[in-house]
Amino acid sequence: MSNNNKKALAILGSTGSIGVSTLDIVASFPERYRVVCLTAGSNIRLLREQIVRFRPKRVAVADDVSAELLRHELGHEGPEILCGVDGLVQCATHPEVKMVVSAIVGAAGLVPTMAAVSAGKDIALANKEILVAAGELFMAEVARQGVQLIPVDSEHSAIFQSLAGQRSGDVRRLILTASGGPFRTTSMDELQRVCLKDALAHPNWEMGKKITIDSATMMNKGLEVIEARWLFDLPAEQIAVHIHPQSIVHSLVEYCDGALIAQLGIPDMKTPIAYALSWPERLHLKQKPLDLCLMEDLSFSEPDLQRFPCLSLAYQALERGGTCPAVMNAANEIAVAAFLQEKIGFLQIPQIIAKVMLSHEPKIISALEQVLEADLWGRRCASDLIEEGVNR
Ligand code: NAD
Ligand code: MG
């Protein structure tokens, strides 16, 4: 296949867990995909390896110093090397790019991904924080530009697949499954004492640190409820969460006649990433298929909102609307970063988010600047609370 027939990709966050898995798929299907742009935060060593292997035309890194270092190392043969938010935007909107894989973690992915949509690029969306912070605005731009938006998050990919060929009016509710994380059976007493290492030990999935902590607090599922609200245009009342410790049923759609349609598979992000890249086709992946006969037990239960208040906070943020989810997301990012630096305890994460949300007066969002302002406000407010040593 000539270069012109290959799907041209920009991978934002190529050095992360999703980014690396995406490049694995690209490497397995060189006849279908080519890499035009890559971006990374601070892992310059890995980015350099990726540049040598995938030969992108343009890359972006976080800061000037890293950009200069890369230019020096790669010389004239290297790609165009940019930095900062503008660099990310230049990668997301490169004229040759057909699809942008949005895999930066956090609200930092918002501006470049929005720019990609405005430039008419299709989006494979891993970054859920974008839809949490700016769901309505983002979906309006997707509709205006008529671009394809394919979810990468495993639950949303499962729902997307379970909705195929159905009438949206027949949907009764979406059921997002959640593993329950490492603390699914940990008592409230024990939760007071859990440490960073315990929280980073996810039972089923290997992911970046931020989402791993979000899974332990169950904020990840809260963010996913909001993500589903916007992706599938359904109100919060029609989005339920079930604990499913085996992570085999990736999510379900319940229809008005009582039928449930689900997507199942081994817990491996390669399947939803490959589906987003190749939709509406499917790729022949060399993975071990799921052997249902080895599944002794597939269990489901209601989440415990007392031990995992982050899930309730997300439903509250949706109900309050406007800038509230953006503020919640920002506070969560700051609280999780502080927990990762062992500045605060595990149970302080929801306490900080709740306090920040309580002191926020939500405003209606009509432009991206308002989202960025709310994000900044949430970050400052959470950082101040941590500085003051709140509830220590
Ligand atoms: P990660 O931490 O492993 O990787 C994040 C990537 O973003 C890295 O390339 C990093 O360099 C880059 N980055 C981080 N901060 C940046 C900034 N300020 N500016 C520019 N680049 C920055 O994260 P991940 O686990 O790959 O997750 C990425 C996104 O995908 C998250 O939104 C996460 O919620 C979502 N997601 C991940 C998984 C998973 O299995 N890892 C599953 C579902 C959804
Ligand atoms: Mg998920």
Side-chain angles (χ1 to χ4, degrees):
M1 204 185 263
S2 84
N3 252 2
N4 288 343
N5 295 327
K6 296 181 187 180
K7 193 181 261 188
L9 302 175
I11 304 172
L12 309 183
S14 66
T15 54
S17 158
I18 295 287
V20 166
S21 294
T22 304
L23 284 173
D24 278 351
I25 295 168
V26 169
S28 306
F29 298 91
E31 71 290 357
R32 297 184 70 124
Y33 303 106
R34 69 188 174 99
V35 173
V36 178
C37 299
L38 294 175
T39 85
S42 53
N43 192 345
I44 302 305
R45 204 169 53 84
L46 179 56
L47 179 65
R48 191 178 52 224
E49 285 172 28
Q50 294 177 342
I51 292 170
V52 171
R53 183 155 181 215
F54 293 97
R55 305 240 151 248
K57 297 196 167 170
R58 183 180 282 171
V59 303
V61 292
D63 57 85
D64 249 354
V65 179
S66 313
E68 205 40 57
L69 188 76
L70 257 186
R71 278 186 208 114
H72 179 72
E73 287 177 351
L74 293 165
H76 295 305
E77 300 287 286
E80 182 184 6
I81 298 170
L82 307 172
C83 68
V85 178
D86 187 54
L88 293 174
V89 170
Q90 295 300 322
C91 284
T93 59
H94 189 291
E96 284 182 31
V97 167
K98 169 83 177 111
M99 174 176 254
V100 171
V101 180
S102 177
I104 288 175
V105 60
L110 176 56
V111 168
T113 309
M114 193 72 150
V117 174
S118 299
K121 313 298 185 191
D122 292 335
I123 308 288
L125 187 70
N127 179 312
K128 61 195 83 185
E129 292 91 346
I130 292 170
L131 286 177
V132 174
E136 196 168 6
L137 209 63
F138 189 80
M139 294 310 289
E141 187 63 7
V142 166
R144 189 160 39 239
Q145 299 294 341
V147 300
Q148 298 292 349
L149 173 63
I150 320 288
V152 168
D153 211 348
S154 58
E155 295 78 0
H156 304 74
S157 176
I159 290 171
F160 185 76
Q161 295 178 55
S162 303
L163 286 168
Q166 305 292 327
R167 291 170 359 142
S168 58
D170 291 342
V171 173
R172 189 184 285 158
R173 59 180 186 151
L174 310 178
I175 302 172
L176 294 173
T177 54
S179 71
F183 304 139
R184 180 174 55 87
T185 57
T186 309
S187 72
M188 199 68 191
D189 247 14
E190 288 169 309
L191 280 180
Q192 313 256 16
R193 291 185 297 274
V194 295
C195 65
L196 179 58
K197 197 168 127 273
D198 303 331
L200 284 173
H202 196 280
N204 304 347
W205 297 93
E206 273 208 31
M207 311 176 283
K209 283 190 177 155
K210 192 258 179 187
I211 182 176
T212 303
I213 301 304
D214 284 346
S215 300
T217 62
M218 287 202 68
M219 179 53 96
N220 184 48
K221 214 47 56 178
L223 301 178
E224 290 184 358
V225 167
I226 304 177
E227 182 184 10
R229 188 264 171 269
W230 296 115
L231 269 178
F232 306 114
D233 194 22
L234 283 169
E237 306 79 73
Q238 283 174 267
I239 307 171
V241 171
H242 286 4
I243 302 292
H244 168 50
Q246 298 81 13
S247 297
I248 295 296
V249 177
H250 294 313
S251 279
L252 315 88
V253 180
E254 183 182 303
Y255 288 92
C256 54
D257 57 358
L260 287 171
I261 300 186
Q263 184 255 335
L264 286 71
I266 53 165
D268 184 335
M269 287 308 293
K270 291 237 178 76
T271 304
I273 295 170
Y275 188 70
L277 293 180
S278 64
W279 179 86
E281 293 173 43
R282 285 180 188 271
L283 299 177
H284 290 264
L285 296 187
K286 289 195 195 77
Q287 270 163 327
K288 218 171 63 178
L290 171 67
D291 186 346
L292 276 177
C293 296
L294 293 177
M295 301 282 110
E296 284 185 2
D297 186 20
L298 291 180
S299 51
F300 301 88
S301 60
E302 292 283 343
D304 179 345
L305 299 178
Q306 301 265 271
R307 282 185 305 130
F308 299 103
C310 283
L311 189 51
S312 307
L313 290 174
Y315 275 102
Q316 271 172 42
L318 252 187
E319 198 181 323
R320 291 180 65 198
T323 47
C324 197
V327 162
M328 178 198 75
N329 177 67
N332 181 55
E333 287 193 34
I334 294 297
V336 169
F339 177 71
L340 283 170
Q341 292 165 12
E342 302 189 288
K343 283 188 187 162
I344 61 168
F346 184 73
L347 290 180
Q348 283 181 289
I349 299 174
Q351 286 167 3
I352 288 163
I353 303 165
K355 279 196 179 228
V356 172
M357 281 170 67
L358 210 60
S359 49
H360 181 62
E361 225 10 274
K363 296 187 192 70
I364 293 169
I365 295 171
S366 51
L368 192 59
E369 289 65 39
Q370 290 163 305
V371 179
L372 301 177
E373 233 169 73
D375 175 78
L376 209 60
W377 184 89
R379 278 167 206 276
R380 278 211 203 102
C381 192
S383 302
D384 289 349
L385 286 172
I386 292 164
E387 283 291 297
E388 290 160 18
V390 78
N391 292 336
R392 282 220 91 163

